[in-house]
């Protein structure tokens, strides 16, 4: 059985005062029936890890460099994230693929670095509206899966997040049938590439406008093992009902 995972991506949001949201979340969920992960901006990782020490809340980064160290001004290595207290890192988010022109090959190199540092790689993928309208969604996802996911992935060090670009921050959500089609496709791909043990063990998250009022419906879809939540992860009062919906779906 895959343990469910509720993950929050704070993106470029959050100052020191936001750490109180983590304290509130940890005290609202002392013994959750799902794994909980919050990925704050890099500036807050060490403090967040300290605040969450001894609680079920794990902390992750939002990106890492593919190299272990070196002359890369402004970048952060996977080892640095781990050293700061992170146990996971989001990679290949569409905002990074767009803003920083990250290719799937770049994402795979970063995921290898994350694995070498002992981090779980939460690899994101998703189609644009134009790609969906051209009935190209599964081709796009298939290509992103083949190229972004490293060969040595395991059920423990890999999580896939399906995030249709047109659903991120827009309030638009695919139908449950659309989500199910893509998640089933990802599951089948992983099983044929990695074998059934690994393929069935990797958690598949849905991301894109997950809110307290649509979470239960999304979590009812087979092969949806949790969510990667943006806006609604910033406040404990929004994220908490999403966690509860996930626990109830388990
Ligand atoms: P929203 O939940 O704000 O749509 O963001 C989703 C996302 O991009 C999570 O990585």
């Amino acid at each position: 059985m895959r343990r469910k995972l509720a993950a929050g991506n704070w993106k470029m949001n959050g100052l020191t005062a936001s750490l109180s949201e983590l304290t509130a979340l940890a005290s609202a969920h002392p013994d959750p029936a799902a794994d909980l992960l919050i990925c704050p901006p890099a500036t807050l990782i060490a403090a967040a890890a300290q605040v969450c020490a001894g609680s079920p809340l794990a902390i992750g980064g939002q990106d890492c460099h593919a190299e272990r160290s070196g002359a890369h001004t402004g970048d952060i290595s996977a080892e640095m994230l781990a050293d700061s207290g992170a146990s996971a890192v989001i990679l290949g988010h569409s905002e990074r693929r767009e803003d920083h022109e990250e290719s799937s090959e770049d994402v795979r190199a970063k995921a290898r670095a994350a694995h070498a540092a002992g981090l779980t790689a939460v690899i994101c993928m998703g189609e644009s509206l134009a790609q969906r309208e051209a009935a190209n969604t599964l081709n796009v996802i298939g290509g992103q899966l083949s190229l972004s996911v490293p060969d040595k992935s395991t059920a423990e060090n890999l999580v896939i997040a399906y995030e249709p670009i047109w659903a991120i921050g827009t309030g638009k959500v695919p139908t449950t049938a659309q989500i199910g089609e893509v998640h089933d496709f990802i599951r089948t791909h992983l099983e044929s590439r990695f074998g059934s043990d690994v393929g069935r063990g990797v958690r598949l998250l849905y991301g894109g406008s997950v809110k307290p009022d649509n979470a239960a419906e999304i979590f009812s879809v087979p092969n949806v093992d949790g969510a990667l939540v943006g806006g609604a992860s910033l406040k404990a009062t929004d994220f908490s009902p999403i966690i509860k919906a996930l626990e109830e779906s388990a």
Side-chain angles (χ1 to χ4, degrees):
M1 266 305 282
R2 295 182 295 274
R3 190 166 156 86
K4 310 272 174 175
L5 170 61
N9 175 9
W10 281 11
K11 308 191 180 186
M12 199 171 72
N13 298 291
L15 300 172
T16 308
S18 320
L19 295 172
S20 64
E21 298 297 333
L22 299 180
T23 321
L25 211 51
S27 64
H29 301 276
D31 187 20
D35 288 342
L36 308 181
L37 171 69
I38 294 284
C39 301
T43 47
L44 289 181
I45 289 174
Q50 240 169 13
V51 163
C52 296
S55 87
L57 261 186
I59 298 301
Q62 299 175 11
D63 176 50
C64 70
H65 197 277
E67 304 287 331
R68 277 191 69 186
S69 61
H72 301 289
T73 302
D75 277 313
I76 295 175
S77 74
E79 195 177 23
M80 291 169 183
L81 293 177
D83 185 52
S84 300
S87 56
V89 60
I90 296 169
L91 294 171
H93 193 282
S94 60
E95 288 150 17
R96 292 209 58 89
R97 290 179 189 260
E98 281 178 18
D99 296 356
H100 300 273
E101 296 180 354
E102 283 185 12
S103 67
S104 288
E105 289 84 351
D106 296 332
V107 175
R108 182 171 55 190
K110 289 173 180 221
R112 282 206 200 100
H115 289 165
L119 299 176
T120 296
V122 180
I123 299 181
C124 303
M125 52 197 64
E127 81 286 2
S128 66
L129 188 58
Q131 288 165 333
R132 175 159 284 278
E133 285 174 350
N136 222 358
T137 298
L138 298 184
N139 278 339
V140 169
I141 300 296
Q144 289 178 332
L145 271 172
S146 299
L147 295 175
S148 308
V149 176
D151 288 332
K152 288 193 182 140
S153 300
T154 68
E156 288 72 40
N157 72 15
L158 175 68
V159 171
I160 302 285
Y162 168 54
E163 300 205 312
I165 297 169
W166 51 273
I168 295 175
T170 58
K172 290 188 190 141
V173 182
T175 64
T176 51
Q178 288 172 323
I179 295 173
E181 180 188 35
V182 175
H183 280 238
D184 290 352
F185 175 83
I186 296 172
R187 179 72 63 211
T188 304
H189 174 105
L190 293 175
E191 282 179 18
S192 73
R193 178 165 166 200
F194 293 105
S196 59
D197 277 0
V198 174
R200 281 188 205 150
V202 173
R203 269 102 47 101
L204 309 185
L205 309 183
Y206 168 78
S209 296
V210 177
K211 305 290 175 198
D213 64 358
N214 62 17
E217 191 184 8
I218 291 167
F219 296 148
S220 73
V221 179
N223 277 319
V224 171
D225 304 310
L228 181 56
V229 182
S233 72
L234 295 172
K235 294 270 169 244
T237 46
D238 291 330
F239 199 42
S240 202
I242 294 174
I243 294 169
K244 285 206 185 89
L246 185 60
E247 289 177 308
E248 281 159 18
S249 78

